[in-house]
Amino acid sequence: MPSTVPVAAHKNLDIEALRAVAIIFTFVVHFQTLPIYPASAFSWIHRYMELSIGVDLFLVVSGFVITKSLLSSQAGGSSTKAVLFAFWVRRVFRLLPAAWFWLLLVAGYKIGGSIAADGGATVAKESLAILAAFFNVMNFYLMVCWSAAAPDICVPQPAHGHYWSLSLEEQFYLVFPLVLLLVSRRQVILVAAALIAILFFWQRPLFSFGFFIRVDGLCWGVLLAFMSTSKMHDSLALFFSRRIWLLRLLMLMAIAALPLVARQVLGLGNQGEPYGTGVVSLLAALIVAGASFDLPCLSINGLIRRTIVYLGSRSYSLYIVHMLAFFVLRELLVWQDWDTAQANPTLMAAVICALAMTLTFLLSELTYRYIEVSWRARGRRVSERMLARSDVSVAKAAAALAGKA
């Protein structure tokens, strides 16, 4: 029986490149929360591009990678229970330590600030927002807080509001493996396709109730993972392997089109089209489909490849810390009473963005080296032991049956 203990995973460099693209989109859209930036010449970018779609790209990639991982584990021969718990162990060790570490620092600052500013009058509200992120229900919390009839339990979350997308992914990681391992693959494909169809024409403007229900991106990733095991996918991979220039051109055109199309179909309130989020998810899925061939075509040798690999490998840490870094910088500017009124707004915005990026990359690198890497290795060791024990149990059961025969 082949061992089901995972070996060093092959990195799909085009998937890493898409992670890099998604995190760059996310940085730029959140630059709008920095002082001066909205008044600078850089603001023209947001008149023509909607860069919040970095999240949609992340979600399709996540659905694709996780489904591929689970399908590979299923093929190894371990028991369903072992595969399921080994997957959850890897996810918990991979994601939660870094997210919780920074969240605890935010909690200390926000709750301590509330006690110092108003005697703790808002401690309960601050604590609720922190707990929503801690228990991965931040998307549900924001659904309520952004609704027209928002209750008096909400407070701004400038440093951890982006945990809503992490919550959505964690919910997917909890539920989807159960579905995949307990029902037929055909049923999984039908359910994913049905969800995409149902959600396609549901108008979900930015920051509306429906905005936080973005499972269509995850479902596209699931379908692409199943497609990657088909003969049709193998035929297309062979076709593009002889015409990498064509695949590169198509992917670059799609990546360039994604924020431009999103700007036309997404919006606040009734400004967007009913099918806006559906179209964005579909276009993101086409981009990930190109990356699924793993040729690779986006990671050119040299500096570009090294940059892509770096950003892709740190994309989770970068996403976790960037809003915290932006928040810290804003607080420091206020604390220092930095007068920017007479400054050139474009120059000042460039300086502030450079400082924000410097702090983001510093915190990200520390998080990656001292939290992510060590906890990921621990999770891998625990999951390997679980799968190894399962292999032994399966082998013993097979030997016992052979003996009876």
Side-chain angles (χ1 to χ4, degrees):
M1 177 189 296
S3 172
T4 58
V5 175
V7 294
H10 163 72
K11 276 192 180 296
N12 180 328
L13 291 181
D14 280 347
I15 289 294
E16 293 296 290
L18 294 185
R19 287 189 172 119
V21 169
I23 197 63
I24 291 170
F25 283 172
T26 302
F27 287 157
V28 178
V29 76
H30 286 155
F31 281 161
Q32 296 176 98
T33 67
L34 294 172
I36 306 300
Y37 183 89
S40 72
F42 299 120
S43 62
W44 70 267
I45 296 173
H46 307 282
R47 290 198 295 270
Y48 300 101
M49 300 182 188
E50 177 51 65
L51 296 170
S52 64
I53 40 79
V55 168
D56 297 275
L57 199 51
F58 270 131
L59 291 175
V60 179
V61 166
S62 183
F64 173 76
V65 171
I66 292 305
T67 306
K68 288 276 286 185
S69 173
L70 287 167
L71 292 176
S72 176
S73 297
Q74 277 186 313
S78 294
S79 69
T80 297
K81 180 179 177 181
V83 169
L84 192 62
F85 280 94
F87 170 80
W88 282 334
V89 164
R90 289 196 303 273
R91 290 292 93 191
V92 166
F93 278 77
R94 166 75 174 84
L95 301 175
L96 295 186
W100 282 354
F101 174 80
W102 290 111
L103 193 60
L104 288 174
L105 293 183
V106 171
Y109 179 84
K110 298 287 283 184
I111 294 173
S114 173
I115 293 172
D118 54 28
T122 59
V123 164
K125 295 179 182 179
E126 297 286 3
S127 299
L128 181 62
I130 295 293
L131 290 173
F134 189 87
F135 289 108
N136 293 301
V137 291
M138 193 65 174
N139 52 335
F140 297 123
Y141 172 88
L142 291 180
M143 282 181 196
V144 174
C145 288
W146 282 93
S147 66
D152 187 27
I153 59 171
C154 304
V155 289
Q157 308 90 31
H160 66 287
H162 62 303
Y163 273 55
W164 76 265
S165 61
L166 303 179
S167 296
L168 179 60
E169 289 194 60
E170 293 288 357
Q171 292 153 18
F172 172 74
Y173 299 151
L174 178 64
V175 174
F176 178 69
L178 285 171
V179 175
L180 181 62
L181 297 175
L182 298 179
V183 304
S184 71
R185 294 188 179 187
R186 183 172 180 273
Q187 290 172 321
V188 173
I189 292 171
L190 289 175
V191 169
L195 283 172
I196 290 170
I198 291 169
L199 294 173
F200 195 87
F201 290 103
W202 180 17
Q203 189 167 23
R204 289 168 283 172
L206 298 176
F207 308 117
S208 66
F209 182 90
F211 174 82
F212 301 101
I213 304 176
R214 307 283 277 277
V215 296
D216 31 0
L218 293 165
C219 289
W220 275 118
V222 170
L223 293 182
L224 290 172
F226 279 108
M227 187 192 77
S228 71
T229 65
S230 68
K231 292 182 179 179
M232 181 185 72
H233 186 272
D234 292 341
S235 299
L236 287 171
L238 180 61
F239 173 84
F240 282 119
S241 68
R242 297 167 179 168
R243 302 166 182 83
I244 292 181
W245 65 270
L246 177 60
L247 181 60
R248 180 180 294 123
L249 177 62
L250 292 173
M251 289 188 67
L252 290 175
M253 288 174 61
I255 291 170
L258 183 59
L260 298 173
V261 171
R263 185 67 182 85
Q264 300 303 312
V265 299
L266 297 179
L268 294 170
N270 295 320
Q271 295 174 2
E273 301 293 344
Y275 49 80
T277 304
V279 167
V280 167
S281 293
L282 172 59
L283 188 51
L286 291 174
I287 295 169
V288 176
S292 72
F293 299 120
D294 191 15
L295 290 175
C297 64
L298 294 181
S299 52
I300 302 169
N301 288 331
L303 179 61
I304 294 177
R305 177 188 287 262
R306 291 194 295 272
T307 302
I308 284 172
V309 170
Y310 179 85
L311 290 175
S313 66
R314 270 78 169 167
S315 59
Y316 180 69
S317 290
L318 287 166
Y319 188 81
I320 287 288
V321 306
H322 81 282
M323 288 301 287
L324 174 63
F326 290 11
F327 173 73
V328 168
L329 183 59
R330 288 195 303 272
E331 293 292 290
L332 287 174
L333 293 176
V334 171
W335 178 54
Q336 291 293 326
D337 195 22
W338 194 12
D339 183 13
T340 58
Q342 303 303 319
N344 180 315
T346 300
L347 176 61
M348 187 58 64
V351 171
I352 291 173
C353 288
L355 290 173
M357 284 290 87
T358 301
L359 184 56
T360 295
F361 277 98
L362 174 63
L363 296 181
S364 168
E365 190 61 28
L366 293 173
T367 303
Y368 179 78
R369 291 191 181 191
Y370 298 108
I371 301 178
E372 264 201 81
V373 171
S374 60
W375 281 96
R376 187 190 303 177
R378 293 177 190 177
R380 188 182 301 116
R381 289 194 295 270
V382 173
S383 67
E384 286 173 358
R385 287 197 295 269
M386 294 174 68
L387 291 173
R389 285 197 297 268
S390 172
D391 284 351
V392 171
S393 299
V394 171
K396 287 181 177 179
L401 289 173
K404 290 180 181 179

